[in-house]
Amino acid sequence: KTTKWRTNTSYFHPSKEPGLIPGCINLSPCWFQQGHENPLDGFIPEVSAALKGDSGLSSIIDMQRPALLSSAALRVMHPQLYRASMSTHVALGQWAAAHGEDQMYRCLQHWASAYSGASIVCNRQSPGHRDPKCPPEGFDILTCIGSYKHAVMNLTNLGIDLLYNPGVMVSYSGRLVRHGVRVGDGDRIVWAWFMRDSVHNYAGTP
């Protein structure tokens, strides 16, 4: 099904590097589980599953350098969104402390990105799609590393194809731009930094 492309194994290519596992994980110190984003239903934000447990905090600390780089890029490209996101971060930290959400509070203390979440994706080719849970005014940032070549990003509704070489950073509105990636030869890892409307709305951030 087109709605299952994010986890469909046919879109993930085998790795050439030993120990590199194709797949995707989502990391966020504070977000709503899929389909549970209406606070009127009594749902509250929580730490993403990949960050729960003893290893979660060490994972956040390990990713602080790329988190700071993405934040610096956003600060230059979209200062207003950067300030709104940092305000959200502070408000969520205060909420977590007031409600005894100790794990979330610790994660937020060490979360160095202005973005509310990150996906780390290995060797995936994605069909054309949008990211409807991202704010239309917001910029997602994708950073690619690896040994691959001949990858192309299609911005379908703009009619643009971009070379997507290792080391490239791409920023775009995930809700407004329909995009997909065709992967060439080799191993490719992407850091995808994103924000979610529901998190900003829960914190009451314009």
Side-chain angles (χ1 to χ4, degrees):
K1 296 181 180 178
T2 55
T3 55
K4 299 292 185 183
W5 66 267
R6 295 177 192 274
T7 55
N8 190 320
T9 56
S10 67
Y11 288 113
F12 291 89
H13 302 284
S15 298
K16 296 183 178 180
E17 184 72 26
L20 194 62
I21 302 170
C24 174
I25 57 170
N26 293 313
L27 305 171
S28 176
C30 184
W31 77 343
F32 291 87
Q33 297 301 328
Q34 191 76 15
H36 293 168
E37 302 189 65
N38 186 355
L40 298 177
D41 293 337
F43 293 103
I44 60 172
E46 59 183 282
V47 177
S48 64
L51 292 180
K52 290 180 178 176
D54 296 335
S55 62
L57 189 58
S58 63
S59 296
I60 288 177
I61 292 171
D62 287 344
M63 61 190 278
Q64 283 180 334
R65 187 164 187 251
L68 288 169
L69 289 172
S70 69
S71 297
L74 183 67
R75 175 67 180 86
V76 172
M77 292 185 298
H78 200 329
Q80 191 175 11
L81 181 62
Y82 174 85
R83 287 191 297 271
S85 186
M86 297 311 296
S87 297
T88 298
H89 189 109
V90 170
L92 290 171
Q94 293 170 340
W95 177 89
H99 289 81
E101 296 287 341
D102 296 336
Q103 184 177 35
M104 183 184 297
Y105 183 72
R106 283 194 302 273
C107 288
L108 284 165
Q109 280 184 305
H110 296 279
W111 185 260
S113 177
Y115 286 88
S116 58
S119 291
I120 303 172
V121 187
C122 178
N123 286 1
R124 182 173 71 194
Q125 174 172 298
S126 65
H129 68 282
R130 289 188 176 91
D131 300 316
K133 295 185 182 296
C134 297
E137 305 88 353
F139 289 162
D140 293 348
I141 290 182
L142 305 181
T143 306
C144 278
I145 58 175
S147 58
Y148 67 94
K149 53 187 177 181
H150 306 306
V152 175
M153 171 173 269
N154 313 106
L155 304 179
T156 311
N157 56 333
L158 300 181
I160 298 173
D161 287 348
L162 302 174
L163 287 178
Y164 204 25
N165 297 326
V168 167
M169 180 181 282
V170 177
S171 179
Y172 61 94
S173 172
R175 179 181 289 185
L176 298 181
V177 177
R178 186 172 175 85
H179 52 282
V181 176
R182 298 195 308 271
V183 181
D185 302 323
D187 292 324
R188 170 178 168 268
I189 300 171
V190 179
W191 286 79
W193 298 95
F194 61 88
M195 297 180 187
R196 301 196 47 185
D197 269 339
S198 54
V199 175
H200 282 240
N201 292 340
Y202 194 83
T205 305

